[in-house]
Amino acid sequence: MLHIRRATEHDIPVIWEILKGEIEVMRRAGRDQWQYGYPNPDTVASDIEIGQGWVLLDGTQVVGYCAFITAGDPCYDHIWDGEWLTDSNSTNSRYTVVHRLGIDHGRTGQGLATAFLLMLIDESKRMGRESMRIDTNFDNLEMLHILPKIGFTRCGMIMVKDGERNAFEKVF
């Protein structure tokens, strides 16, 4: 049975294996995303330390990871080539954010990323948030397929430390 929970320090080795698998998939596909030392084990440890590391479990096995941010994200304060569906910003955040989503490479193609996102949407609603935001690289075909399928709308472009990203939002 699939479920989510906050990640713990004990999860770091498995999480890092999941993210290394995603980094390698992107490298083999010729993608720039995640190819320059980010994310890394320190990123994951920091996520967990501040309570924003979350895992997807199948029974007791960790099969997915993401940073689930509930305090807004300053990189989403500046959007171009469009606009957000809601007027929240990082100082009056009424949205959640998903970053660094990864699924166990041996489990791809099973709908786990979609299931993970849907569970995080439910968690956001329980928190009383009005929307969820997420960004992805222009060539991350998997996420570009999944996001509209589960009700996310492309809102424009944002800048993160390693480049421009397509920005999406789903209003609840």
Side-chain angles (χ1 to χ4, degrees):
M1 182 170 124
L2 295 175
H3 59 284
I4 60 174
R5 66 165 167 78
R6 288 187 193 271
T8 68
E9 288 181 12
H10 300 294
D11 298 319
I12 291 174
V14 174
I15 291 167
W16 182 233
E17 287 304 311
I18 289 169
L19 293 178
K20 282 193 323 189
E22 294 285 8
I23 290 165
E24 181 60 17
V25 166
M26 289 184 199
R27 185 191 67 75
R28 286 185 182 169
R31 298 179 188 160
D32 253 4
Q33 191 173 0
W34 292 11
Q35 297 305 303
Y36 304 102
Y38 166 89
N40 57 56
D42 290 339
T43 309
V44 174
S46 176
D47 286 344
I48 292 169
E49 183 178 316
I50 60 177
Q52 67 186 25
W54 285 66
V55 289
L56 173 67
L57 296 106
D58 186 356
T60 60
Q61 180 184 8
V62 173
V63 295
Y65 173 76
C66 78
F68 180 54
I69 301 164
T70 60
D73 188 329
C75 73
Y76 288 179
D77 286 350
H78 306 287
I79 188 168
W80 69 92
D81 192 31
E83 62 186 13
W84 293 114
L85 302 175
T86 62
D87 65 358
S88 273
N89 60 44
S90 62
T91 57
N92 74 340
S93 172
R94 293 183 307 271
Y95 63 92
T96 56
V97 176
V98 173
H99 284 309
R100 299 181 282 287
L101 177 67
I103 299 296
D104 181 328
H105 185 63
R107 302 287 302 267
T108 57
Q110 297 177 12
L112 296 177
T114 299
F116 199 2
L117 285 167
L118 291 172
M119 288 179 205
L120 292 166
I121 288 167
D122 287 343
E123 186 68 22
S124 298
K125 291 176 183 176
R126 277 192 288 281
M127 295 174 159
R129 300 308 166 96
E130 68 179 357
S131 69
M132 179 182 282
R133 295 178 182 177
I134 191 168
D135 64 85
T136 193
N137 208 28
F138 69 93
D139 59 359
N140 189 333
L141 302 179
E142 295 83 1
M143 288 303 289
L144 291 170
H145 171 76
I146 290 169
L147 294 173
K149 184 175 81 171
I150 60 173
F152 281 84
T153 300
R154 185 187 177 279
C155 294
M157 300 293 291
I158 56 115
M159 181 66 72
V160 295
K161 64 181 167 182
D162 61 344
E164 296 179 351
R165 298 286 184 265
N166 283 295
F168 291 81
E169 185 171 26
K170 178 180 175 71
V171 179
F172 309 136

